Amino acid sequence: MAPSFKWWSAKDSHRVGTPVVIKMENPKNWSMVELESPTESDFIIDSPSRLSKGTRSRNTKQLTWVLLLKAHRAAGCLTSLGTALLALSSAIKRRVAAGRTDTDVDETESRVVENPRVKSRFYSFIKVFLLISILLLCVEIAAYFKGWHFHFPTSSIQLKKYMIFDNNPFGVKDLFDSLYTNWVLFRVEYLAPPLQFLANMCIVLFLIQSIDRLVLCLGCFWIKFKKIKPIAKQDLVMSDLESGGGRNAYFPMVLVQIPMCNEKEVYQQSIAAVCNLDWPKDNILVQVLDDSDDPTTQTLIKEEVQKWHLQGANILYRHRVLRDGYKAGNLKSAMNCAYVKDYEFVAIFDADFQPTSDFLKRTVPHFEDNEELGLVQARWSFVNKDENLLTRLQNVNLAFHFEVEQQVNGVFLNFFGFNGTAGVWRIKALEDAGGWLERTTVEDMDIAVRAHLHGWKFIFLNDVECQCELPESYEAYRKQQHRWHSGPMQLFRLCLPAVIKAKISIWKKFNMIFLFFLLRKLILPFYSFTLFCIILPMTMFIPEAQLPAWVVCYIPATMSFLNILPAPKSFPFIVPYLLFENTMSVTKFAAMVSGLFQLGSAYEWVVTKKSGRSSEGDLVGMVEKEAKHHKVGSESNLSEMKAEIEMQEQKARKKKHNRIYTKELALAFLLLTAAARSLLSAQGIHFYFLLFQGISFLLVGLDLIGEQIE
């Protein structure tokens, strides 16, 4: 029988409570979309008249329906969870059926492929470790059912007593007991001590890095509390620009460079944004530095430059036939032009960056009357940070990097690593540091280190943002992270003698060698991978060596909480963030080792793939802005540009595909095997950590975390 709704009718003038609103989008798949629960005031009795039986009945019915609808909502969540699991299983089936792995050569990429022998060494080590773990798990299960139960930690003397008297009082041993006895004694005397030593060493490194992270967070808190902020000598105003420059106006000559290579998805947005910078046209020159080897892309970029040139922009197109030195070689070639000597500053923007029109007016004034200042770096913001789980986790990482690391180092040390884009350099500082060098894959960090050694200071502006795009696929993000973690180790090997010999203070040398390079670029990926992906699983099979629960759970959770503070809206992703950072440690560790020892992939440079999502809405705005000055043919131009973008996106989709990542998949099975072993020792926290970390590796290994290509 349907419930009565007479108490909810409009005829009742003494209606009390909050109505419950139900919306049904599809009768076949009905679910509650909106629900407004009763408020506290609905249950407050403020007059005797509200004590009537009818009022109490209405409130009771209303509360009952609220509870029933909440229960239905929970049931709907369970239904959607089942649907998500079915979709996940079908995606896994498609991925396995396709059979594409990270070892396959992509025919659409024009790059030098890494030596297969070098690439497979790390994977072979993980496979051998996995096979040994599976074998040991089988042995431990058999021993468990034969009554071999230990309470750890246990000494070798106690073990011998247990094995001789407690386990078998008659002294009769079968073959398995004899072999297992020798194995236990061997691991206690020979395997556990070195493993425990290695674990303790990694714990010390972990604590040092955690203290460094905590100090950075305290420094950021102090900056917020004291409202410390770089202040320019002079603020530029619109009246100065409109009048052609007032008596006190500061509009120095600025060179703007846009290096790009086969980035046809985003070239329009960056060129348009730079050409709309609010700066006197006689005092600015835009260089579009095109390293593309695709003739179609070259033609499109040339036409875009020509279009803006006809509209009055002071813009030039440069193309190199040979792409020597990648981005560093491109910038170096552009700085060798004769007309560069007429300019005082150079602003650099990658192809997917869109500076706001007032970017130069908010950055260049900091150079006035500050001859020691060599660099002004702006913060990045991301147009696609909510696109998928991968972009959300990247946003957490980069928010901490800019809000905490860059800002704190800029305020207290006047030094940080140049981010390669969205920054303004004093050309004299670049020349003093030796210019751009092609010796590493992190030319931005290289020039920043050399400039700092020559005494130049840097400023980071946390309130000046420049929009850009995050990699949406795991393949693109993985290659980007490989370059970002391999390059610093190359640079460390090359610049260490120069740092030692530099005429700077001992504190600056300590900061650069120990904090900037060793702790944050080498130790961090080393202990993350070694401690949580190698040592922790080993302690499950060699339980005489142990990792405390606070190392496995409490400190990592605290560090993740600190990391996520600059992006508070991402707080629901704190657990996925912790697991994903450990998952990425395998890529970062391999990159760090290849850079440190100059292995096959150390100098691999792959341009991060862009999706061009940030260009669509901005492109419409640009064309509408142009239409005010060029009304003739504006509609046709807009339709042509839209059609061109759609064609480019369709071609890009055909080239994309998801892959299976073998190293991550092997580590997933390794961690899940260790989790199964931990059940025999009843190690609760260790089991849950290994289980969820193994699932994280499994999802990443099957390429289910980023962009999904149908």
Side-chain angles (χ1 to χ4, degrees), residues 119-135:
K119 189 174 184 178
S120 63
R121 291 174 186 170
F122 191 36
Y123 178 50
S124 300
F125 167 76
I126 296 175
K127 284 197 298 184
V128 171
F129 193 11
L130 173 60
L131 293 174
I132 294 174
S133 300
I134 295 174
L135 177 62

Side-chain angles (χ1 to χ4, degrees), residues 99 134 162 221 228 245 267 272 341 345 362 368 392 406 452 477 481 494 516 518 546 597 605 613 635 651 682:
I134 295 174
Y162 173 82
F221 173 77
I228 302 174
Y267 70 93
K341 66 179 185 299
F345 303 102
R362 299 179 67 185
E368 187 179 10
R392 287 185 172 96
Q406 296 292 76
H452 180 62
Y477 180 63
Q481 292 300 303
L494 294 170
F516 185 75
L518 291 181
Q546 292 190 328
F597 298 102
W605 179 288
R613 294 184 185 276
E635 293 296 330
K651 291 179 180 178

Side-chain angles (χ1 to χ4, degrees), residues 492-705:
F492 177 66
R493 294 176 64 257
L494 294 170
C495 73
L496 181 59
V499 175
I500 296 175
K501 297 177 183 178
K503 297 179 180 179
I504 56 177
S505 65
I506 298 296
W507 160 244
K508 289 185 177 181
K509 291 182 180 181
F510 172 82
N511 171 69
M512 183 167 289
I513 294 175
F514 181 74
L515 296 179
F516 185 75
F517 278 113
L518 291 181
L519 185 59
R520 298 166 190 164
K521 303 297 189 297
L522 188 149
I523 291 177
L524 178 58
F526 171 79
Y527 86 75
S528 296
F529 174 74
T530 307
L531 187 62
F532 296 110
C533 300
I534 300 297
I535 295 178
L536 179 58
M538 288 181 69
T539 58
M540 298 298 103
F541 299 101
I542 307 176
E544 293 78 19
Q546 292 190 328
L547 284 179
W550 55 268
V551 173
V552 177
C553 179
Y554 303 129
I555 291 186
T558 303
M559 292 300 104
S560 297
F561 176 76
L562 294 177
N563 281 15
I564 216 164
L565 285 178
K569 292 183 179 179
S570 302
F571 188 78
F573 302 99
I574 185 170
V575 175
Y577 170 75
L578 169 61
L579 298 174
F580 181 68
E581 279 301 289
N582 289 334
T583 305
M584 283 303 300
S585 66
V586 60
T587 297
K588 296 176 181 179
F589 176 81
M592 181 269 292
V593 172
S594 67
L596 190 62
F597 298 102
Q598 293 184 302
L599 300 181
S601 60
Y603 293 93
E604 182 184 29
W605 179 288
V606 180
V607 177
T608 305
K609 291 182 180 180
K610 315 296 192 308
S611 64
R613 294 184 185 276
S614 55
S615 63
E616 298 172 6
D618 300 321
L619 184 57
V620 175
M622 285 187 295
V623 175
E624 290 176 350
K625 186 174 181 179
E626 290 179 38
K628 297 179 181 179
H629 302 92
H630 306 277
K631 294 184 179 180
V632 180
S634 60
E635 293 296 330
S636 60
N637 288 340
L638 178 58
S639 60
E640 289 176 5
M641 296 169 88
K642 284 182 176 179
E644 185 179 307
I645 288 178
E646 291 177 359
M647 290 178 60
Q648 292 173 1
E649 288 184 346
Q650 289 176 0
K651 291 179 180 178
R653 289 192 192 103
K654 291 179 181 179
K655 295 181 181 180
K656 293 180 179 179
H657 52 260
N658 293 109
R659 305 187 182 194
I660 294 175
Y661 296 95
T662 53
K663 290 194 292 288
E664 286 82 353
L665 212 56
L667 279 168
F669 292 124
L670 170 63
L671 293 171
L672 293 175
T673 303
R677 170 63 182 90
S678 69
L679 287 176
L680 302 180
S681 304
Q683 300 185 31
I685 292 179
H686 297 71
F687 165 74
Y688 289 114
F689 182 88
L690 289 166
L691 175 64
F692 290 116
Q693 191 64 69
I695 293 174
S696 176
F697 268 102
L698 186 64
L699 294 176
V700 172
L702 294 172
D703 200 4
L704 296 171
I705 192 174

Side-chain angles (χ1 to χ4, degrees), residues 327-341:
K327 182 180 176 181
N330 198 1
L331 295 171
K332 181 179 180 180
S333 174
M335 293 299 293
N336 289 332
C337 296
Y339 53 79
V340 172
K341 66 179 185 299

Side-chain angles (χ1 to χ4, degrees), residues 209-220:
Q209 197 275 332
S210 300
I211 293 172
D212 174 64
R213 188 62 55 94
L214 180 61
V215 171
L216 288 173
C217 291
L218 292 175
C220 183

